[in-house]
Amino acid sequence: MASKSELIKSAKAIKAVELFRKRMNRQAIISMGVCVHCGNCTETCHYYQATKDPKMSPAYKADKVRKVYKKHFDWLGRVLPGWVGAKDISTDEDLEELKDICFGSCTMCRRCTFNCPMGVDKALIIRTARGILTELKIAPQGILDVNKDQWEIGNQMGVTDEEYLETIDWLSEELQNELGDPDARMPMDIPDCNIVYAINPREVKYAPMSLLASAKIFYAVDESWTLPAKGWDNTNFGLFSGDNALGGHMGKLVFENVRRLNGRMLVTSECGHGYRSTKWESPNWSGIFLKQPILNFLEVVCDYVESGRLKLDKSLNKEPVTYHDPCNYARSGGITEEPRYLLRQSVIDFREMYPNRADNWCCSGGGGAMSMSEYSKRRLEAAKIKAEQLKATGAKIVATACHNCVDALTDLIRHYKLNMKVSLVGELVANAVVIEKKPRVAVPAVGGDAFLKGNTILVVDDEPDMVTFLSAVFEDNGGTVLKASNGDEAISVLRRQKPHLMTLDLSMPGKSGVEVFEEIRKDQELTKLPVFVITGQPELRKLIYDNSYAPPEGYANKPIDEERLLLTVRKILNIPHQS
Ligand code: SF4
Ligand code: SF4
């Protein structure tokens, strides 16, 4: 029978206590139980520094969660609740108050933890409560939305497969232009590489130049690397929302693709929580323990520089630079010296910020704070101490190694009117790279060397003019051409002959190109056939990208010019340009 206090409890409060019970593990119990209220952690929190409000001290905030633990799981709390500060959660208002504390007053930066003589991990306590609130949907909408995108689309910014592949395609062209080498590329889904590179979706959506910087560095050292077509998001909102199942789901997506591609190591791009989640947390959440090592991009680049594979010219970065330690690297990931080493090699004037490393102040945007707009005002107030720290360096650029920190620092720099820019470490390194191999100066004639000799290409299109154009270009470059004017004919030719590549129109009478594509991908014999979609109806793209099959190896809208056509065919067939 329910007790009297349970009868007046809200349904959500009852559920919250049930969830609390489920989430208790050894780590959580230790952190809940051992605080001696010495007050050592008070001054270490940037929220307290900004307000001097005792309610913003780490111990006070953790006590709001701890009191529930004491009420239900501590024998003294059950017998003498008033004595040890045990108190139940009873109402929806109690839960709202907890939401405000756990999501709006703590970035889970763990600075307080490093200053606690008892080793109390306040971020762990806060994350435990966040997980309960998220499950009850009493979390900020921004957190719930990002969680949903990671569950349903597989990345935190809702980037579709199509958008991802299109951006990478475009970046390949940018890379070729920047390096003057038409063979430079952003490799996609290549098996047996040295590195499978998992990135932050911000690099696809808002900051493609950081991905370009990584590609330039990999190019300079002739690295064998690839981006995966799926499972490419190294970030994990399971860490911020406390949703362990989501944490496992995101880890599984990345790990399974490393296995599928048989990469020799998994490297995560510059993202503090992405690195921490992927390397340290996701194996436990997902139950998948890769045999391949998991490294961060900066560790790999340090190796390149130390071994002499990567040459840098620091005179290319003249402005004074300081470094902001992302919390998840410095306090939860063990990466503090690599970025400093790289910056000293890449810039003329590197200046330390104080305090630094594990004692550094949070950028104020940790713990998913950048996705919770309702707390922006409080976040920016709490960023005051960070702003003072930045200003004191006199640097013109603050480098950091985390996309989330980039956004938070940019926001606070604007708010506090500091005269500074933010850069990723990798971008400064890429700017200082000296490429020793002789690049080709201009994009060369893409045909002319009979490069298609020995290759048979099936051209599938219902427009005779298009068939004539494609056939003529391929034959002029040494290729053998097969033709089909509809889907059924295409399948029949494929079953009789084995071309090296098929160009495919999507809209045709009878069996459409979309159906042909599906049939090929489902067919064990044909599934590996490279497909270059050339369509006049871009709205049909979704139909071939929004499914579980491997995407087409090439895509272009009509009209397509000869140069783009041959460049893409070269890429698909992996035929290098002749010098
Ligand atoms: S420093 Fe540790 S023991 Fe002291 S009040 Fe803070 S959490 Fe409690
Ligand atoms: S984890 Fe960071 S933000 Fe949270 S209470 Fe501790 S110092 Fe403050």
Side-chain angles (χ1 to χ4, degrees):
M1 206 171 85
S3 68
K4 194 176 164 200
S5 66
E6 273 177 343
L7 285 175
I8 56 162
K9 260 187 183 181
S10 74
K12 282 184 177 170
I14 293 171
K15 181 78 181 156
V17 175
E18 265 173 50
L19 293 172
F20 209 107
R21 191 180 304 278
K22 276 196 202 153
R23 296 188 65 110
M24 278 301 102
N25 56 26
R26 195 169 44 183
Q27 268 181 314
I29 288 170
I30 290 170
S31 280
M32 297 278 183
V34 300
C35 174
V36 292
H37 293 96
C38 66
N40 263 13
C41 56
T42 303
E43 298 280 342
T44 65
C45 179
H46 51 292
Y47 286 97
Y48 177 82
Q49 284 289 338
T51 58
K52 298 294 174 192
D53 178 355
K55 288 185 176 160
M56 286 291 144
S57 78
Y60 181 90
K61 289 182 273 192
D63 269 352
K64 288 285 175 186
V65 184
R66 190 180 284 118
K67 68 180 188 175
V68 188
Y69 163 80
K70 288 195 168 159
K71 172 73 188 164
H72 291 275
F73 309 103
D74 178 272
W75 70 269
L76 199 54
R78 281 195 290 253
V79 180
L80 294 168
W83 183 261
V84 293
K87 195 162 178 282
D88 208 355
I89 282 190
S90 301
T91 64
D92 289 358
E93 287 72 37
D94 289 344
L95 289 166
E96 284 297 327
E97 186 196 13
L98 204 56
K99 168 186 162 185
D100 188 78
I101 287 169
C102 295
F103 288 100
S105 310
C106 176
T107 54
M108 297 160 76
C109 73
R110 303 185 72 230
R111 192 168 192 269
C112 51
T113 300
F114 274 66
N115 288 281
C116 171
M118 306 300 289
V120 175
D121 191 343
K122 266 80 67 184
L124 174 69
I125 295 174
I126 295 292
R127 183 174 179 273
T128 302
R130 281 187 177 200
I132 294 163
L133 294 166
T134 299
E135 198 160 338
L136 292 170
K137 301 272 181 282
I138 311 174
Q141 195 55 44
I143 292 278
L144 296 176
D145 288 346
V146 178
N147 262 25
K148 188 165 178 283
D149 279 349
Q150 287 208 317
W151 271 117
E152 292 177 5
I153 303 175
N155 67 80
Q156 65 147 296
M157 290 191 178
V159 177
T160 61
D161 285 354
E162 190 184 356
E163 210 180 325
Y164 172 57
L165 295 171
E166 210 170 70
T167 305
I168 301 304
D169 223 27
W170 165 70
L171 282 176
S172 273
E173 285 171 25
E174 289 291 314
L175 191 67
Q176 286 162 8
N177 290 339
E178 181 175 345
L179 299 169
D181 182 351
D183 291 335
R185 64 176 65 193
M186 311 282 292
M188 176 61 69
D189 234 26
I190 312 287
D192 305 321
C193 286
N194 201 27
I195 289 174
V196 175
Y197 194 49
I199 60 173
N200 184 313
R202 185 177 174 275
E203 296 179 79
V204 181
K205 200 97 181 169
Y206 304 114
M209 291 307 136
S210 73
L211 188 46
L212 200 61
S214 312
K216 184 178 172 187
I217 292 169
F218 286 143
Y219 173 91
V221 299
D222 266 331
E223 185 57 273
S224 133
W225 71 289
T226 188
L227 292 156
K230 304 235 175 229
W232 49 269
D233 180 0
N234 74 38
T235 72
N236 197 326
F237 254 56
L239 183 70
F240 299 151
S241 65
D243 182 346
N244 291 344
L246 176 62
H249 170 69
M250 292 307 295
K252 190 166 173 240
L253 285 182
V254 174
F255 297 155
E256 280 182 346
N257 278 284
V258 176
R259 283 181 174 166
R260 175 177 66 82
L261 291 168
N262 193 33
R264 278 187 282 285
M265 64 176 110
L266 166 61
V267 175
T268 62
S269 67
E270 290 177 88
C271 175
H273 97 270
Y275 172 69
R276 174 181 165 192
S277 304
T278 309
K279 178 153 180 141
W280 303 112
E281 316 284 0
S282 292
N284 293 317
W285 291 329
S286 66
I288 298 176
F289 296 87
L290 280 183
K291 68 174 194 298
Q292 291 91 340
I294 301 172
L295 296 170
N296 183 261
F297 179 65
L298 299 183
E299 295 176 281
V300 173
V301 180
C302 268
D303 258 7
Y304 296 154
V305 178
E306 277 177 332
S307 63
R309 279 175 79 188
L310 188 68
K311 300 269 181 289
L312 299 172
D313 176 0
K314 57 170 79 173
S315 72
L316 294 168
N317 287 314
K318 295 191 168 46
E319 290 190 291
V321 176
T322 189
Y323 177 65
H324 161 76
D325 287 275
C327 303
N328 280 305
Y329 278 134
R331 282 189 276 272
S332 302
I335 293 189
T336 54
E337 304 317 307
E338 293 83 350
R340 290 178 166 77
Y341 172 77
L342 290 174
L343 288 172
R344 288 198 178 99
Q345 304 294 322
S346 308
V347 310
I348 285 181
D349 180 354
F350 173 68
R351 307 169 177 193
E352 267 302 355
M353 185 186 310
Y354 296 96
N356 54 49
R357 297 177 170 84
D359 207 24
N360 191 34
W361 290 104
C362 178
C363 67
S364 77
M370 299 308 289
S371 57
M372 301 180 240
S373 53
E374 58 270 63
Y375 303 125
S376 296
K377 187 167 174 285
R378 199 187 291 165
R379 168 173 59 79
L380 282 164
E381 274 166 20
K384 187 164 178 276
I385 196 153
K386 184 84 233 173
E388 286 163 2
Q389 206 193 2
L390 292 176
K391 196 171 177 190
T393 65
K396 290 281 173 264
I397 295 175
V398 51
T400 188
C402 171
H403 281 271
N404 191 62
C405 295
V406 170
D407 281 342
L409 292 169
T410 305
D411 207 20
L412 79 86
I413 284 171
R414 198 182 303 124
H415 183 79
Y416 288 97
K417 299 185 175 43
L418 305 180
N419 182 22
M420 282 181 123
K421 288 183 292 193
V422 189
S423 171
L424 286 162
V425 174
E427 290 170 339
L428 290 167
V429 173
N431 196 46
V433 161
V434 178
I435 304 222
E436 293 192 317
K437 60 181 157 187
K438 195 171 170 288
R440 290 182 180 84
V441 179
V443 174
V446 288
D449 56 357
F451 75 100
L452 286 173
K453 198 158 180 242
N455 286 284
T456 303
I457 300 174
L458 169 60
V459 172
V460 185
D461 205 301
D462 64 327
E463 291 175 43
D465 287 355
M466 195 65 192
V467 175
T468 304
F469 165 69
L470 296 175
S471 304
V473 173
F474 295 148
E475 282 169 353
D476 284 353
N477 285 280
T480 303
V481 174
L482 304 170
K483 298 169 193 172
S485 57
N486 61 57
D488 287 315
E489 209 183 317
I491 295 288
S492 152
V493 174
L494 286 175
R495 298 221 180 276
R496 278 184 281 114
Q497 309 195 40
K498 295 276 175 282
H500 298 92
L501 170 72
M502 174 176 72
T503 69
L504 180 64
D505 184 17
L506 291 185
S507 171
M508 294 182 289
K511 187 175 280 181
S512 72
V514 176
E515 289 169 297
V516 172
F517 181 72
E518 275 183 22
E519 195 167 330
I520 289 172
R521 287 300 196 240
K522 280 189 201 158
D523 188 307
Q524 277 202 335
E525 264 189 51
L526 302 176
T527 192
K528 293 256 161 69
L529 172 75
V531 178
F532 180 7
V533 169
I534 304 175
T535 179
Q537 290 187 261
E539 66 277 12
L540 297 178
R541 289 187 67 164
K542 270 184 95 52
L543 298 176
I544 51 167
Y545 281 97
D546 285 2
N547 56 47
S548 55
Y549 316 125
E553 282 69 15
Y555 178 92
N557 289 326
K558 291 177 185 173
I560 180 167
D561 65 30
E562 184 174 339
E563 187 170 314
R564 171 92 198 267
L565 175 67
L566 291 177
L567 205 56
T568 310
V569 169
R570 266 192 196 272
K571 267 195 228 165
I572 296 174
L573 295 176
N574 204 12
I575 303 173
H577 289 269
Q578 290 184 358
S579 330

